[in-house]
Amino acid sequence: MKVRTMMEPVRQKRKKVTQEGSGVTFASTESDTSRSGAGLALQHSLTSGYTRPYHRSLTFSSSERFEPLAQRGQRLGSEKREPCVARLTDSGWTVMTARFRLPAGRSYNVRASELARDRQHTEVVCNIVLLDNTVQPFKVNKHDQGQVLLDTVFRHLELTERDYFGLHLADDSSDCPRWLDPNKPIRKQLKRGSPHHLNFRVKFFVSDPNKLQEEYTRYQYFLQIKQDVLSGRLPCPHNTAALLASYAIQSELGDYSEAENPPGYLSEYSFIPNQPQGFEKEVAKHHQQHNGLSPAESEFNYLNTARSLELYGVELHYAR
């Protein structure tokens, strides 16, 4: 009858290491010694190395490499009954005792550094053009859902009424620019390399500005429509455009004053595409009639006037 000893599993593990190379570490504990009854039984640990080089080690020569690992660990570690760690390297077996472990509270985690390096490869930079024409960069993981980027922008703007807004893919070269889908991974929607460029825009327009509860939300709507009128995306009759521009000036400059607003004070402003001569005078005339309106009231009147436009809230696309 063949008697199976405690040393057989150790020899099998050593043989496996010889075949697979030096990327496997053997470790032993005091409890292993008590269980084996024949010395230090080495426990197989599937790690790729030590967390930090030790100050002192005992190395076997290559000619002694094939001495049974348990016997060698017993001979080197049994004097003081210390746990030891053995590793197969190109120069032979190396045994390190617990005496040379890191002090308490100190560690070097190789895995953490690898994760940090991997995180750099998965992070992407998204440059978001806000409605006030400022550009704000955000770093997100490309494997995250689009909602993660949306929430990051909302937190930056401190928006509470978020259902009306979205991110337009500015990198999209198609005739029909797409919106960032909050339910799909970012990497599947942003095809080009980092940094990516997106526009923060109003996605859903309300028929009545009174439905917007927050003044800051109405301000974002005001900025959006002012951009659409200036770019020609929202066609506007000449008279209505002059009235809208006067509300925008009242919101920005306040009440009209002859001392503070001399003739030509609107020469640096652009309100509509291909702005004709004499348009500034019409805007100034309307501006004089808005004395007493606060910025919030001026923006509300702007929205209330813009909603009567024929193409308000309509997004046009090219037909194929």
Side-chain angles (χ1 to χ4, degrees), residues 47-54 102 106-111:
T47 60
S48 59
Y50 303 105
T51 57
R52 179 175 175 179
Y54 293 86
L102 288 175
R106 296 181 58 187
S107 64
Y108 178 76
N109 194 336
V110 178
R111 180 59 178 163

Side-chain angles (χ1 to χ4, degrees), residues 93-118:
W93 287 101
T94 301
V95 175
M96 300 180 181
T97 63
R99 204 174 6 171
F100 308 109
R101 292 177 182 174
L102 288 175
R106 296 181 58 187
S107 64
Y108 178 76
N109 194 336
V110 178
R111 180 59 178 163
S113 61
E114 293 176 353
L115 291 175
R117 184 173 64 252
D118 294 341

Side-chain angles (χ1 to χ4, degrees), residues 48-292:
S48 59
Y50 303 105
T51 57
R52 179 175 175 179
Y54 293 86
H55 297 290
R56 183 172 135 192
S57 64
L58 301 174
T59 304
F60 305 133
S61 64
S62 58
S63 61
E64 299 174 337
R65 174 178 300 183
F66 296 103
E67 179 180 353
L69 181 59
Q71 295 179 11
R72 187 162 299 279
Q74 177 184 2
R75 182 166 60 84
L76 296 174
S78 60
E79 296 179 1
K80 295 188 178 182
R81 311 298 293 175
E82 292 180 344
C84 66
V85 177
R87 182 180 183 181
L88 177 62
T89 61
D90 294 336
S91 60
W93 287 101
T94 301
V95 175
M96 300 180 181
T97 63
R99 204 174 6 171
F100 308 109
R101 292 177 182 174
L102 288 175
R106 296 181 58 187
S107 64
Y108 178 76
N109 194 336
V110 178
R111 180 59 178 163
S113 61
E114 293 176 353
L115 291 175
R117 184 173 64 252
D118 294 341
R119 193 179 302 112
Q120 293 178 354
H121 293 293
T122 58
E123 276 188 347
V124 293
V125 178
C126 297
N127 293 326
I128 309 299
V129 182
L130 304 177
L131 289 172
D132 58 357
N133 290 326
T134 60
V135 180
Q136 184 67 34
F138 297 96
K139 286 185 177 181
V140 292
N141 192 308
K142 65 181 181 180
H143 299 291
D144 289 337
Q145 303 290 321
Q147 188 65 48
V148 175
L149 179 58
L150 279 169
D151 291 339
T152 304
V153 177
F154 290 146
R155 284 194 298 268
H156 173 77
L157 294 174
E158 299 181 356
L159 268 176
T160 56
E161 297 178 283
R162 303 178 175 184
D163 296 336
Y164 304 107
F165 302 93
L167 292 175
H168 224 225
L169 304 181
D171 292 339
D172 197 345
S173 59
S174 62
D175 295 335
C176 300
R178 297 175 294 112
W179 294 92
L180 183 72
D181 192 331
N183 300 317
K184 292 183 179 180
I186 295 176
R187 63 182 177 85
K188 292 187 177 181
Q189 304 184 66
L190 305 179
K191 301 299 184 181
R192 298 182 181 180
S194 179
H196 303 282
H197 301 278
L198 300 94
N199 296 321
F200 179 77
R201 290 179 50 84
V202 175
K203 190 174 183 179
F204 302 106
F205 289 84
V206 294
S207 58
D208 186 357
N210 286 312
K211 295 181 180 180
L212 302 175
Q213 300 178 359
E214 298 288 335
E215 178 182 328
Y216 188 60
T217 308
R218 289 193 290 270
Y219 174 68
Q220 298 294 326
Y221 264 76
F222 162 73
L223 294 177
Q224 179 66 78
I225 297 176
K226 189 170 68 168
Q227 279 188 11
D228 293 345
V229 172
L230 176 61
S231 63
R233 189 182 295 111
L234 178 59
C236 186
H238 184 86
N239 295 335
T240 305
L243 180 59
L244 291 175
S246 65
Y247 284 128
I249 290 298
Q250 177 69 20
S251 174
E252 182 174 347
L253 301 181
D255 293 343
Y256 173 83
S257 173
E258 293 183 357
E260 298 181 0
N261 306 118
Y265 72 100
L266 299 177
S267 59
E268 298 181 356
Y269 290 87
S270 296
F271 304 103
I272 56 176
N274 302 321
Q275 188 168 297
Q277 294 182 353
F279 185 79
E280 300 172 5
K281 294 182 179 180
E282 295 185 38
V283 176
K285 184 178 179 180
H286 286 295
H287 183 204
Q288 297 174 15
Q289 300 173 2
H290 300 330
N291 285 346

